[in-house]
Amino acid sequence: MSTDTERVEDGTETSVLESFRDWYHLPVIGVVMLFMVWLRTQSYDRFVTEDGTPALAGVDSWYHWRTINWTAENYPHTMPYEVWTGFPTGTYVGQFGTLFDQLIVTVAMIVGLGDPSQQTLYTVSLLSIPVMAALVAIPVFYAGRRLGGTIGGIVSVLVLALAKGQFLSRSTVGQLDHHVGEVLFMAIAVLAMMVALTVAEREKPIYELVVDRDWDGLRRPAIYSALAGLALTLYIWVWPSAILLIGIFAIFFTVQLCLDYLRGVSPDHVAFVGAVSLGVTALLTILLMEQPGSTGSTNFGLLQPLSAVLVAAGCVFMAWLAREWNNRGLERQYYPVAIGGLIVATFVVMWLAVPSLFDSIIGNATRRMLPFGGTATDLTIAEAQPPEDFFNRVFTEFGSAFYTMLAGLAFLAIRPLLGRKFRAEHTLVIVWTVFLISMAATQVRFMYYLTLAVAVVNAAFIAEITRLFDLDLESSLDSVRQVETYQVIVVLLVVLLLFAPLLPPLAQATAWDQGKQTGVSGSTMNWEESNHWLKENTPAPGNYGGANNADELDYYGTYTPGDGNYEYPEGAYGVMSWWDYGHLITTQAERIPHSNPFQQNARSSSAYLTAESEERAELILDAIAAGEPVADRSTEELRQATSGSDSGEDVRYVMIDNEMAGQKFSPITQWSGPDYGHYINNEEFAFGGNQTQALPTANENYDNTTLSSLYLQDAAGMEHYRLVHENDKYAIVGGMGIRGQAIPRYSLQLRGSGWTNQTRAIQQQLAQARSNNQVYQGLGNPVWDGHVVSSVKTYERVEGATITGSVDDADDIDPANATAVVAVDLETDTGRTFTYRQQASLADDGSFEVTVPYATNDELGVEDGYTDSSVEATGNYTISVFESGEQGLRQFTGETTVPEPAVVQGETVSAGGLEEVENPSGNETTGNETSGNETTGNETDDGSTDADGTNSSDEGTADNGTANAFEPVAAERAH
């Protein structure tokens, strides 16, 4: 089979068959592309809702929906600075609001005749991802054909179409994310560079042509090199972190220029391509800069053009040094050594002179390109984790095609040994592939990049196999008729080797099986209900407390930060949650989260959620509002830093879900410390009969965290937080046996919704098992220390009303032995009831004061600048004072109302004097317990489902009332 990239047409072959030979690949590619689109749109109906609201598959998809809508409102501009996230500063959106979004909106503009409706915009957004995935087949085919002829190119697109795993899962309908755009534009950029290199090797541009301004000799290589630079720029425009391809090109040019010089070939030819292409990229990326002083890779800043300039200058320098090396008669073999030494010296100087740039370059290399050196916080991102078993993972994704790719890579490398022409594009493909393998071993998500190399390099494998067995199916029809039996067998074996592991019956899950499984994530749906409630029942940002400044925060407005941060108007507020959910809060609730999936403010969110006292939690929020750092600072340091500060910018709401209290708690602790082990102890739990086992369980430190105090304890004993809404879907949170592992913090979403007698029974059984240190086995998975809780709870931060009162005839009461307890019964809109309790000591005169966050009426609402809480008191506060002394137990009681203005404005409410009760019951209460965190509202057929919605009743269960032994393990990593 011919692998030549240059074809000569003699004009003599005009038959229909010969025309078919020249053009048959086009309908084949078209059919493959249609198959790829069909494969990825099988689940389209799941994302088309009856009420027309968006339904997307991932958290980042929601933020792209935000930037797409913003671009449609401000076309053709993209969002420069976002004030609807990252409270209280805002942020540059970086890798969102890029060419990816502009392309989608442009298509929607065409379809919608310049004014697309929301439905048109949504439909185009859904279908754009599968279409972009199908378009990847075009550059893959032409790159493959350059290595293995037309047959090789067709094999490449077939491998691409049948690949499972990351490339498929990230390009199905509903995955509105830039990942597929990354793959498409990387493929275009690499193909463009391959073409430019081949043209330069043929045209042979040298320094003298530039000096003589011989544009006729330079025109073709200059045009193709400039187009390669444009393609690279488009890739960076889609994803700013695409500077990693600049790094790959830098390695390639270094290797190729050294090889050319060692072989006695002028380095000028390849250096010309590097200088022109990377020079064009540098000039064009300067136009994209949003943060000129930034050296970060996720925003359009200085790093992109500076990296391109360094590579372009390096190519020119290496060509110049080669000439000087010749002029001085130095040995050629020492040239690469000198280049290596100069590169090391350059990085040393950069480390000393521009440490921020050095850290950015090295940091991006170790985090994205090399399977070592990643940070612990990187590992809290599911997609940024390395695959547990790399070779098992690549076989699952690509089957044997990964190993035939390695063979194709070897064939490319040994071409000179076989007497075959070795072109610069071969070196490029080898270097590029090696780095894609390294990247896939570093972060599992980069398997979608590795798909490109697996597809393209297999063309080289096919070319060598067909050459080895003398198969030339492209030259003429006669060659087909002359095929020998052994050659047919070879073809069949190669086809089986490449494709059988990706097809039934060998494949455990085929590409179309995986495509069918795409759907809206359960956690996203849970948050949607709570976020919609937040949008409808809280004041618009800028209106809190009646400030009436919401007009200054247009959801589709354009904003310019001052001194790097945006100054929010009075009445603006933030929402505290874990960074995973920031985009959902921005897009579904149209409220301003403090942290987000940019990982902005993840450390301060972690510090807040793990704070082990309400005082520290409040000081952290005050420090956030004042712009003070909060991590690694003691409570006293925070107190001093926030004393006297009154920024007027507050975090007003806190949202917590079952996964934050469960499997995500371990990643939360990694950002601010203490580490996860601080919150976990081994405790003995009883199974059926007399068997006991030590199981990892949340300890008192965990119970004291703000996250646990709010979510699992309904803020019992806290003064400034009131539950204002809870989702009507519920989950079990606690220690669980999952797939043979004992996980101390885990959560399982329960089926159904509402509040029923059956779920009350489940709650009571879990509470009884917990009180007796027993493992509960009635829900499919063994559960210990289990709680049934709403999947998402929303709290409001308020000043709190101070209830004051005293005991009548207090002269004979010993305050040291007396405790005042206030309590109010509350009910959520799901029908769940719980009791809020608070306690205080008595002063010497028998008086007391207690700060409480709940009102007994709901006279304030959104129109007043406050919250329409869905949690209401069912009666007045009851107040009891208990004294335990020489006269036995004495009890004094009373009751009072607490108006809502007193709660939100921090006013005092007098309860008057309390009267003594004759024959007290003796049931002294501490105020540290709540009945509300143990109830649920779910019905299940078998009691439980796994976190991903699959039935888990057969996993980790016990036989005949006894549980399997679970080895204590750390909680599974999650976002």
Side-chain angles (χ1 to χ4, degrees), residues 536-559:
E536 298 297 327
N537 295 277
T538 60
N543 282 353
Y544 194 91
N548 200 29
N549 290 320
D551 291 343
E552 298 182 32
L553 289 171
D554 182 1
Y555 193 62
Y556 296 108
T558 300
Y559 303 91

Side-chain angles (χ1 to χ4, degrees), residues 649-913:
E649 301 168 343
D650 291 310
V651 175
R652 290 292 181 185
Y653 298 93
V654 181
M655 302 182 75
I656 303 174
D657 78 337
N658 57 291
E659 292 186 354
M660 290 166 62
Q663 53 266 44
K664 292 186 179 182
F665 184 73
S666 175
I668 288 173
T669 65
Q670 292 184 31
W671 284 87
S672 62
D675 61 27
Y676 188 55
H678 175 74
Y679 304 95
I680 304 299
N681 288 341
N682 280 339
E683 294 187 17
E684 291 289 333
F685 283 86
F687 293 90
N690 296 322
Q691 297 185 24
T692 62
Q693 184 173 348
L695 295 172
T697 309
N699 59 25
E700 184 179 3
N701 296 328
Y702 174 86
D703 295 336
N704 289 337
T705 62
T706 304
L707 183 150
S708 177
S709 297
L710 292 175
Y711 186 69
L712 296 181
Q713 302 166 42
D714 279 324
M718 302 181 79
E719 298 180 342
H720 302 291
Y721 295 90
R722 62 175 181 177
L723 180 68
V724 291
H725 179 260
E726 69 176 19
N727 199 305
D728 68 351
K729 297 184 184 300
Y730 295 84
I732 296 175
V733 177
M736 296 188 192
I738 304 293
R739 300 181 181 92
Q741 295 181 334
I743 302 177
R745 287 285 91 189
Y746 205 79
S747 69
L748 294 177
Q749 188 72 46
L750 296 177
R751 291 197 186 109
S753 60
W755 186 253
T756 66
N757 291 331
Q758 182 178 0
T759 51
R760 286 190 181 92
I762 294 174
Q763 173 269 323
Q764 292 169 359
Q765 292 165 357
L766 284 172
Q768 182 179 6
R770 189 172 62 254
S771 64
N772 294 325
N773 268 34
Q774 292 179 334
V775 175
Y776 181 68
Q777 302 179 69
L779 296 172
N781 297 83
V783 177
W784 56 97
D785 190 31
H787 307 256
V788 182
V789 199
S790 169
S791 58
V792 183
K793 286 186 175 182
T794 303
Y795 283 85
E796 182 182 16
R797 182 186 179 209
V798 294
E799 292 294 326
T802 299
I803 300 176
T804 62
S806 61
V807 176
D808 290 342
D809 301 325
D811 293 341
D812 58 346
I813 287 185
D814 181 5
N817 293 321
T819 301
V821 178
V822 300
V824 63
D825 293 328
L826 301 156
E827 183 175 8
T828 71
D829 62 350
T830 66
R832 182 176 73 91
T833 59
F834 66 99
T835 301
Y836 169 82
R837 292 184 178 89
Q838 182 64 283
Q839 70 179 29
S841 301
L842 265 63
D844 292 339
D845 61 357
S847 65
F848 62 88
E849 60 179 38
V850 179
T851 302
V852 297
Y854 289 97
T856 54
N857 60 37
D858 54 358
E859 60 185 275
L860 297 179
V862 173
E863 63 280 0
D864 304 301
Y866 297 102
T867 308
D868 280 332
S869 176
S870 67
V871 179
E872 297 184 352
T874 59
N876 295 332
Y877 275 89
T878 60
I879 306 169
S880 301
V881 172
F882 299 94
E883 183 204 22
S884 179
E886 295 179 357
Q887 303 178 22
L889 179 66
R890 300 175 65 189
Q891 181 178 356
F892 301 81
T893 64
E895 66 176 44
T896 187
T897 61
V898 175
E900 190 162 11
V903 168
V904 298
Q905 296 172 14
E907 297 175 351
T908 299
V909 176
S910 175

Side-chain angles (χ1 to χ4, degrees), residues 293-315:
S294 172
T295 57
S297 67
T298 57
N299 292 322
F300 294 113
L302 182 64
L303 188 60
Q304 289 86 0
L306 183 58
S307 299
V309 165
L310 289 175
V311 177
C315 290

Side-chain angles (χ1 to χ4, degrees), residues 351-490:
W351 174 58
L352 295 173
V354 195
S356 61
L357 179 62
F358 176 85
D359 291 342
S360 182
I361 293 175
I362 300 301
N364 277 282
T366 55
R367 292 178 59 192
R368 291 189 169 96
M369 302 179 71
L370 301 174
F372 54 81
T375 64
T377 52
D378 287 338
L379 298 180
T380 67
I381 310 171
E383 65 182 22
Q385 298 171 13
E388 293 184 3
D389 185 333
F390 176 77
F391 291 102
N392 180 66
R393 183 59 183 258
V394 293
F395 186 81
T396 300
E397 299 230 356
F398 312 115
S400 303
F402 175 78
Y403 297 98
T404 54
M405 176 205 70
L406 295 180
L409 210 61
F411 284 134
L412 286 177
I414 65 173
R415 283 175 69 95
L417 301 179
L418 301 176
R420 307 274 303 284
K421 185 177 181 180
F422 187 84
R423 300 189 296 272
E425 65 178 342
H426 295 143
T427 306
L428 173 61
V429 170
I430 292 171
V431 172
W432 174 60
T433 301
V434 169
F435 272 100
L436 292 191
I437 293 172
S438 178
M439 288 167 61
T442 303
Q443 295 189 17
V444 68
R445 68 182 178 125
F446 287 143
M447 289 287 177
Y448 58 67
Y449 278 143
L450 184 56
T451 304
L452 291 176
V454 171
V456 169
V457 179
N458 264 294
F461 170 75
I462 289 297
E464 295 302 327
I465 291 297
T466 54
R467 184 182 297 276
L468 180 64
F469 290 95
D470 197 26
L471 287 169
D472 189 359
L473 304 180
E474 295 185 11
S475 59
S476 68
L477 186 62
D478 291 338
S479 64
V480 178
R481 296 169 179 159
Q482 297 170 5
V483 171
E484 300 289 342
T485 302
Y486 82 91
Q487 294 173 319
V488 174
I489 295 174
V490 169

